């Protein structure tokens, strides 16, 4: 039996394989360089084009760009006038920005536990958390697999709530044939370095509601009634008014120049990741104690993350020990997510404790994100699989 690298054996790889990586080539560099040389650096024509392309791609009437998904989520809450004393339903199984933005508005995040298979909000547990103060629901499409949107939209309608989708993982995902971005009242995307496409940092909000798009656009730039393009370009005019208290959340043309190129490659990225995910599924199926990701029939998964579950008893090692063993084999992994209610700030502020959201906590102990991105090769997947098999053979019963 081969010795795992963590015990002094030879690592499966010589070179470290990161868990996530942006996929950038010359085209992005050229597009960004051209934009910089035009002298138009902040929000301008490239941002306009990028917004149009995203709105066409997801099939939403309006798209408003921001410097992050966090900013887009915050703008959505502002546009719907979520404020002091309001409650917003979301899941603890997310990145912290989903619930932080609720706190920016001095509203209260009300957590609903997840479905253990998809890690998405459990729709059957939403209604018991709705009160007279509830204003909105923020479902999170974990890993790129859409939530049960029919059920969520139905609940929202029955209780007169807004639906703001955290689609940071889900650009390119589909629910029953519909693109994510065209379903909820507002959908927020992320172009952070590791997401489905990237602009370094960046975000976008899409909606069918003209009034909300208009509000978001204004709030995105100090509450100004005109953006820089309408002030400094040849078609512009110097005068502007501040009509409300806004923020400085705008995207730059440099970011958009990169995003335009990335968006053209998105379908190719997803197809490649689909293929690699299928390969992982096939090769890991037989490993005792490892469960490959569950994918619903009526969705298109965009594979932002490939996550497995590790059953310590059957596998022979805990998830945390497997992380260390894989690292020794030169394979990077990560854990998505640490449930938000377990962070010290949230415990201190809201009195949360272990046991409050048992499904999220159980999934958190077992889940592991394996390397997956469009520039990975089949051989990289084979390396990860080989390392897992090697560790399983050594420690397993
Ligand atoms: C990455 C992420 C965000 C935040 O995106 P930024 O663009 O970095 O602000 C929000 N929600 C989830 C689920 C994320 O993974």
């Amino acid at each position: 039996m081969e010795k795992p690298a963590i015990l002094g054996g030879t690592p499966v790889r010589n070179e470290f394989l990161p868990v996530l990586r942006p996929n950038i080539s010359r085209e992005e560099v050229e597009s960004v360089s051209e934009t910089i040389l035009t002298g138009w650096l902040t929000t301008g024509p490239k941002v306009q084009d990028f917004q149009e392309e995203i709105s066409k791609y997801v099939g939403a009437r309006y798209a408003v760009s921001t410097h992050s998904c966090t900013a887009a989520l915050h703008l959505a809450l502002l546009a719907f006038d979520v404020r002091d004393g309001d409650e917003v339903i979301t899941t603890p199984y997310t990145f912290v920005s989903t619930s932080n933005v609720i706190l920016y508005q001095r509203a209260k995040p009300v957590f609903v536990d997840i479905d253990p298979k998809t890690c998405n909000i459990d729709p059957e547990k939403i209604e018991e958390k709705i009160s007279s103060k509830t204003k909105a629901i923020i479902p999170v499409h974990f890993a790129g697999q859409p939530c049960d949107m029919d059920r969520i939209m139905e609940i929202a309608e029955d209780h007169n709530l807004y639906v703001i989708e955290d689609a940071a993982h889900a650009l390119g995902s589909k629910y029953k044939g519909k693109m994510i971005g065209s379903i909820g009242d507002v959908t927020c995307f992320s172009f952070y370095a590791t997401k489905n496409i990237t602009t370094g940092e960046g975000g976008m909000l899409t909606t069918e509601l003209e009034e909300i798009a208009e509000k978001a656009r204004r709030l995105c730039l100090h509450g100004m009634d005109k953006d820089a393009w309408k002030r400094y370009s040849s078609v512009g005019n110097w005068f502007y008014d501040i009509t409300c208290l806004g923020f400085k959340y705008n995207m730059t043309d440099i970011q958009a120049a990169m995003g335009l190129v990335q968006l053209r490659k998105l379908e190719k990225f997803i197809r490649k990741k689909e293929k690699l995910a299928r390969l992982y599924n096939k090769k890991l199926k037989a490993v005792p104690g490892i469960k490959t990701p569950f994918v619903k029939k009526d969705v298109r998964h965009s594979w932002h993350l490939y996550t497995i579950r590790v059953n310590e008893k059957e596998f022979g090692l805990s998830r945390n020990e497997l992380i260390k063993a894989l690292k020794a084999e030169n394979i990077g992994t990560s854990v998505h997510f640490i449930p938000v209610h377990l962070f010290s700030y949230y415990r201190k502020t809201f009195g949360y404790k272990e046991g409050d959201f048992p499904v999220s906590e159980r999934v958190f102990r077992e889940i592991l994100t394996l390397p997956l991105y469009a520039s990975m090769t089949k051989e990289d997947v084979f390396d990860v699989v080989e390392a897992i098999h090697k560790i399983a053979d050594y420690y397993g019963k």
Side-chain angles (χ1 to χ4, degrees), residues 66-73 93-99 101 139-143 166-169 188-195 200-204 304-305 336-337:
T66 54
H67 69 49
S68 67
C69 179
T70 308
L73 288 163
Y93 211 77
T94 182
F95 184 59
V96 71
S97 43
T98 322
S99 65
V101 295
V140 181
H141 306 301
F142 180 79
D166 181 337
H169 300 184
C188 300
F189 296 102
S190 173
F191 311 125
Y192 179 74
T194 56
K195 300 286 159 79
E201 297 279 359
M204 188 83 75
H304 166 53
L305 302 172
H336 297 88
F337 287 105

Side-chain angles (χ1 to χ4, degrees), residues 296-337:
K296 292 200 301 186
K297 290 257 168 356
D298 53 3
V299 304
R300 182 213 204 184
H301 199 306
S302 60
W303 293 108
H304 166 53
L305 302 172
Y306 183 88
T307 59
I308 58 168
R309 307 290 174 85
V310 185
N311 180 317
E312 179 174 352
K313 279 207 191 92
E314 289 173 39
F315 184 71
L317 276 187
S318 72
R319 188 274 317 271
N320 286 352
E321 289 164 324
L322 177 58
I323 290 173
K324 283 189 208 145
L326 285 171
K327 195 164 181 203
E329 306 289 346
N330 266 324
I331 287 159
T333 57
S334 189
V335 174
H336 297 88
F337 287 105

Side-chain angles (χ1 to χ4, degrees), residues 76-95:
L77 294 177
L78 281 157
F80 287 125
D81 201 27
V82 171
R83 55 164 88 194
D84 294 56
D86 289 339
E87 293 178 359
V88 177
I89 288 176
T90 190
T91 133
Y93 211 77
T94 182
F95 184 59

